[in-house]
Amino acid sequence: MPSPNEILAELKKIKYPGFTRDIVSFGIIKDIEVAHAGVTVSLAMASANPEVVEKIVAEVKAAVAAMPGVPAVNIQIERPAQSAPRAAGIAQPRTIAGVKHIVAVASGKGGVGKSTVAVNLALAMHGLGWRVGLMDADVYGPSVAMMVGVEKAVTVTPERRIVPLERYGIRYISMALFINDETAVIWRGPMVTKLETEFLFNVEWGELDCLVLDLPPGTGDAQLTITQRVALDGGVIVTTPNELALLDVKRGVAMFEEVHVPVLGVVENMSYYVCRKCNHRHEIFGHGGGAALARSLNVPFLGELPLVRELREGGDNARPIVAANPAHPVSAVFKSIAAKVIEGLDRSEAQHAS
Ligand SMILES: Nc1ncnc2c1ncn2[C@@H]1O[C@H](COP(=O)(O)OP(=O)(O)O)[C@@H](O)[C@H]1O
Ligand SMILES: [Mg+2]
């Protein structure tokens, strides 16, 4: 009979469906018991997706059964509570002193308006009276600094902590403010992710009600690493109405579920176009996909944003629409999205407290 450690080594070869990371480092294996009658593997799975659960169970079973001397394999599945301790060897996600809530904005791919939503969501939350910080975690496509506008150089405290910039009432920082194009090329993959999380913890945020993280586009290993290292209170997923983008939403939801982070909701961007001439609403990509998908995935739908020139111009000119034109209908949509995000954060806080 193999030892629990030998079995664990074997299980390390199994990749989590959709990720390059193995199921052991994911923290799924809770216990391995080797007895006369056979091996019992206990799995702690947060995923609500039955396909993912089935696939993992089948692969674990097959891997252990194939080991010499194993008469039978028994799998036990535990559905961990939100606050369940993680498996040994998995780093606990870190909180940031003085920061009450951390929200990550994710998307399946670039160009869907993730940064636009992150910036305006942060501003809208500020408009609702919250103290808000914004961190651009998208090193390869940093746009937050451009969208918010950089007025002065970043400074550090005597303790060498980074002081965030402040504009339109929110504090913000980006690792991109410290790197030039050459270093950006050298910094690749896991190293960037590691540096970035360290960077995030070295910012002197002060007292914040909420820190908004603009994640790099995608829902792969890099994003997963950040969501595992930082103690997130919620995730927001930005998508566009076409079908491929909607598939990405499923991945986004799965990613947050895996790290036990509640999905605060889905934002559908570039949902429709209001013609300037006829004032008619054109649903060029088809409409309602985001809302329907959110319903089917059992996550809140936060709102839909039209394709409007002012939104792009605001981003290009460091005059984000919520700050520069609060009376614009799109600013009202952001305000309602922000209110729902705050509500979601309050709700999960209440659940934790009970
Ligand atoms: N609803 C919208 N209407 C018009 N332009 C938009 C809208 N959302 C985003 N954009 C523009 O599209 C481009 C990509 O948006 P961005 O927020 O940078 O996407 P991402 O962060 O997902 O890569 C930017 O030029 C932005 O100003
Ligand atoms: Mg971006």
Side-chain angles (χ1 to χ4, degrees), residues 135-350:
M135 156 93 181
D136 184 357
D138 182 1
V139 187
Y140 296 118
S143 41
V144 169
M146 184 191 84
M147 286 182 179
V148 183
V150 178
E151 280 176 326
K152 54 177 195 232
V154 181
T155 55
V156 291
T157 67
E159 296 79 34
R160 307 197 59 81
R161 307 234 332 136
I162 302 154
V163 182
L165 299 173
E166 209 160 333
R167 204 167 187 209
Y168 300 121
I170 63 170
R171 294 172 205 160
Y172 74 98
I173 201 75
S174 166
M175 202 166 86
L177 295 169
F178 294 83
I179 58 177
N180 54 39
D181 291 347
E182 270 164 56
T183 41
V185 179
I186 302 166
W187 290 6
R188 282 270 168 232
M191 194 177 151
V192 169
T193 314
K194 191 160 175 281
L195 282 170
E196 195 156 70
T197 16
E198 283 314 306
F199 176 88
L200 171 65
F201 291 113
N202 275 315
V203 177
E204 194 61 52
W205 291 106
E207 297 278 316
L208 290 182
D209 294 303
C210 188
L211 174 65
V212 177
L213 288 184
D214 182 14
L215 289 181
T219 49
D221 291 337
Q223 294 74 19
L224 190 71
T225 300
I226 299 176
T227 56
Q228 280 185 320
R229 289 191 183 198
V230 184
L232 297 176
D233 298 279
V236 170
I237 300 167
V238 181
T239 185
T240 50
N242 62 74
E243 263 170 58
L244 273 180
L246 293 176
L247 250 180
D248 287 334
V249 174
K250 282 193 185 167
R251 287 198 198 103
V253 170
M255 173 179 78
F256 285 122
E257 268 185 355
E258 259 345 298
V259 289
H260 312 282
V261 172
V263 176
L264 298 172
V266 176
V267 175
E268 190 177 272
N269 189 25
M270 311 189 201
S271 275
Y272 56 92
Y273 168 74
V274 182
C275 174
R276 288 187 162 222
K277 287 192 189 119
C278 62
N279 223 8
H280 190 83
R281 179 169 160 150
H282 298 275
E283 287 165 353
I284 29 188
F285 301 113
H287 163 251
L293 183 71
R295 244 193 327 274
S296 77
L297 293 174
N298 207 15
V299 295
F301 186 67
L302 297 175
E304 49 188 25
L305 293 157
L307 194 70
V308 280
R309 186 197 299 205
E310 291 95 321
L311 205 44
R312 185 185 53 75
E313 285 173 349
D316 289 350
N317 305 324
R319 289 173 53 78
I321 197 158
V322 167
N325 193 351
H328 195 283
V330 166
S331 297
V333 177
F334 276 116
K335 197 170 160 185
S336 134
I337 292 172
K340 286 180 190 160
V341 167
I342 289 176
E343 208 183 285
L345 288 171
D346 286 345
R347 202 178 323 123
S348 67
E349 196 173 46

Side-chain angles (χ1 to χ4, degrees), residues 75-120:
I75 309 280
Q76 266 177 11
I77 299 182
E78 298 170 28
R79 301 244 171 218
Q82 201 67 247
S83 55
R86 284 160 187 247
I90 302 295
Q92 287 287 341
R94 277 170 71 186
T95 52
I96 302 175
V99 177
K100 273 198 199 147
H101 302 283
I102 309 176
V103 170
V105 182
S107 70
K109 58 184 171 70
V112 302
K114 178 173 47 59
S115 301
T116 304
V117 170
V119 167
N120 285 290

